[in-house]
Structures are given as C-alpha cells and as structure tokens.
C-alpha cells in the first residue's frame, strides 16, 4: 500500500477536495482499493464521504487505542473500493495537555495493512496545524502532495512546510514530496509567475497538470458528492484525472 499525505498549512487550498478526488479517481477509474484517512479534526473528508466518526471507528480511537485489528477502525463507504478512517472534533483532544494520543499508531496500522495486502493506496487528509494528528500522518506516509494556490502568501508559506517535512524525516526517513499541485488555477500572469518560480527555485517536483478553478467543485462539496459524478466534464474533474495519471506514471504504476 502506498500512502500519500495531502498537506498544507494554509486553508482554502483545495487540500480536502484534492485528497478526496485522488482517492475517488484511483478507485473508480483505476480500480484501486483505497483507504481514506481523515487526520483533520474538522472532519471535512469524513463528511465528504458521508461517514460519521464514533467512539470505535475513528482516527481518535486509533491514536488512543491502537492495539486492535485494523477492521475495528475502518468503515466502508457507499462508493466501491473506498473505505475510510473518519474523524471529528474529538481528534482535537490529541493536542491537549496530558493527551494519551500516540502518533506512531497510525504508522503501525499502515504497516499491518501492507502486510495484509488490504488496500492499494492510503490517502491521508492532514490538518493545517502541525499537531499530533499531522505528525501521525507524516510518520505513516510514503509521500506528500502539497495542494497550493499559486499566489504570493501560499508560495511564501512553502518554507515552513519544507522545514516541517525536513524535521519529520528524522522519524520517517523515506518521506518524500511527490509534488506541488497547483489548485484553483485561473491562468493569471501572477499565477504563471508563481508556477515558474516554484518550478525552478523550490527544488521540488511540480505537477504539470494544474487544477482549474471550477464552480462545480463547490457544489460537489456542499452536496457531499464526487466531482466525477456531479460534473465529470468540468475542468476540475478533467484536471484531477490527468493529475492522478501523472502521479501514477511518476511512480511507475
């Protein structure tokens, strides 16, 4: 199982939509068995897949319990080939003083899933704040995809993200950046300039495919529906399909 964390410290970058869209495309278009993992206590990914966390099946239960069968923490969805470890506001307790959360237990779960050949891909939606749940995600991940709006403040914030990733490699030496994924793209001169800057100056891989600004994305979020079902010919749906294909080509799958 390859595990990809979607990470950005800035809100409004399309992080959750990108994580969900990658997972759905891998499952529906490429026939992969996908485990979505909600490491954001806002629970937006869980809401997107219409799954509610409870005391047993949740990221909080995993980080505070852990020593059980992986089936205890995983919930099926209505979508073929997709399961989820959901989250809700209880996960915020992981960052409270005296918390008994153990971030390494997500990595232990991923190891067991790999041994059992339970899924082909794991997709983790990280919280923007670099707390216990985000640390858990980066300890468990093979790769990071950074969804990013191509504007000045987002580009400037890359330095902090890269510093955190550098620090996390002490705990997870295999962690690498699969790519920066430009989102909500409107083809302005400023965006083109930011893309060229990141391409040549960041030292990180960039997805060639940029995700266009597309009104159906907001409708898909509010209705908790897949962009591929709601508006399969929209610019964003087309771009996510190409971005997933680009990722698979890059990792030789």
């Amino acid at each position: 199982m390859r595990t990809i964390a979607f990470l950005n410290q800035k809100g409004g970058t399309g992080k959750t939509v990108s994580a969900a869209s990658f997972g759905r495309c891998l499952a529906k278009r490429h026939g992969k068995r996908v485990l979505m993992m909600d490491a954001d206590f806002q629970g937006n990914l869980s809401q997107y897949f219409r799954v509610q966390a409870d005391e047993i099946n949740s990221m909080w239960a995993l980080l505070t319990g852990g020593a059980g069968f992986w089936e205890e923490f995983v919930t099926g969805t209505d979508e073929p080939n997709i399961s989820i470890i959901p989250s809700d506001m209880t996960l915020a307790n992981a960052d409270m003083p005296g918390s008994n959360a153990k971030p390494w237990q997500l990595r232990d779960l991923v190891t067991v899933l790999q041994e059992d050949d339970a899924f082909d891909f794991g997709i983790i939606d990280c919280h923007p704040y670099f707390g216990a749940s985000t640390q858990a995600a980066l300890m468990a991940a093979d790769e990071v995809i950074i969804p990013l709006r191509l504007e000045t403040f987002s580009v400037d914030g890359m330095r902090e993200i890269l510093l955190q990733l550098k620090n996390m490699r002490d705990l997870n030496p295999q962690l690498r950046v699969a790519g920066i994924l430009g989102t909500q793209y409107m083809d302005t001169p400023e965006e083109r300039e930011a893309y060229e800057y990141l391409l040549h100056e960041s030292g990180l891989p960039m997805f060639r495919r940029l995700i266009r600004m597309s009104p159906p994305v907001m409708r898909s979020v509010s209705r908790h529906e897949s962009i591929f079902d709601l508006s399969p010919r929209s610019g964003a749906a087309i771009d996510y399909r190409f971005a997933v294909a680009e990722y698979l080509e890059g990792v030789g799958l």
Side-chain angles (χ1 to χ4, degrees), residues 92-125:
N93 294 324
D95 295 316
M96 299 295 289
S99 167
N100 63 337
K102 307 173 185 67
W104 62 86
Q105 291 186 160
L106 180 57
R107 179 184 61 193
D108 292 346
L109 178 79
V110 166
T111 299
V112 172
L113 291 169
Q114 291 171 334
E115 293 172 349
D116 289 354
D117 189 28
F119 296 94
D120 301 307
F121 283 92
I123 304 289
I124 311 176
D125 184 27

Side-chain angles (χ1 to χ4, degrees), residues 56-156:
I56 299 175
N57 293 353
S58 71
M59 186 63 70
W60 172 245
L62 170 62
L63 296 185
T64 55
F69 297 106
W70 61 261
E71 291 92 343
E72 296 177 19
F73 308 105
V74 174
T75 300
T77 73
D78 293 334
E79 302 183 33
N81 290 336
I82 297 181
S83 298
I84 189 170
I85 300 177
S87 182
D88 60 16
M89 285 299 297
T90 58
L91 185 59
N93 294 324
D95 295 316
M96 299 295 289
S99 167
N100 63 337
K102 307 173 185 67
W104 62 86
Q105 291 186 160
L106 180 57
R107 179 184 61 193
D108 292 346
L109 178 79
V110 166
T111 299
V112 172
L113 291 169
Q114 291 171 334
E115 293 172 349
D116 289 354
D117 189 28
F119 296 94
D120 301 307
F121 283 92
I123 304 289
I124 311 176
D125 184 27
C126 298
H127 191 273
Y129 170 68
F130 195 75
S133 62
T134 300
Q135 292 177 39
L138 296 179
M139 289 172 68
D142 300 303
E143 300 160 320
V144 174
I145 290 177
I146 305 172
L148 186 73
R149 292 191 67 177
L150 296 172
E151 46 92 8
T152 301
F153 292 125
S154 293
V155 172
D156 289 346

Side-chain angles (χ1 to χ4, degrees), residues 149-175:
R149 292 191 67 177
L150 296 172
E151 46 92 8
T152 301
F153 292 125
S154 293
V155 172
D156 289 346
M158 283 294 301
R159 297 184 185 90
E160 182 63 26
I161 296 174
L162 295 179
L163 177 60
Q164 291 176 352
L165 292 176
K166 179 181 178 181
N167 293 335
M168 283 303 302
R169 289 193 182 97
D170 292 336
L171 298 173
N172 182 4
Q174 71 179 5
L175 186 66

Side-chain angles (χ1 to χ4, degrees), residues 137-252:
L138 296 179
M139 289 172 68
D142 300 303
E143 300 160 320
V144 174
I145 290 177
I146 305 172
L148 186 73
R149 292 191 67 177
L150 296 172
E151 46 92 8
T152 301
F153 292 125
S154 293
V155 172
D156 289 346
M158 283 294 301
R159 297 184 185 90
E160 182 63 26
I161 296 174
L162 295 179
L163 177 60
Q164 291 176 352
L165 292 176
K166 179 181 178 181
N167 293 335
M168 283 303 302
R169 289 193 182 97
D170 292 336
L171 298 173
N172 182 4
Q174 71 179 5
L175 186 66
R176 73 178 192 93
V177 176
I180 298 172
L181 178 66
T183 60
Q184 303 177 43
Y185 185 67
M186 293 185 289
D187 196 25
T188 65
E190 293 77 14
E191 288 174 309
R192 292 194 293 272
E193 182 179 349
Y195 179 86
E196 289 298 321
Y197 173 81
L198 287 169
L199 183 65
H200 298 293
E201 302 295 334
S202 71
L204 296 174
M206 292 280 297
F207 278 84
R208 298 186 302 275
R209 194 71 181 203
L210 301 172
I211 311 301
R212 284 168 283 180
M213 176 70 77
S214 186
V217 170
M218 295 308 300
R219 292 201 297 274
S220 77
V221 172
S222 62
R223 298 180 187 181
H224 300 166
E225 294 182 28
S226 167
I227 185 66
F228 304 113
D229 294 333
L230 182 67
S231 185
R233 297 183 180 179
S234 64
I238 292 169
D239 294 337
Y240 276 120
R241 285 195 289 268
F242 274 98
V244 170
E246 184 179 337
Y247 166 79
L248 291 173
E249 178 184 3
V251 296

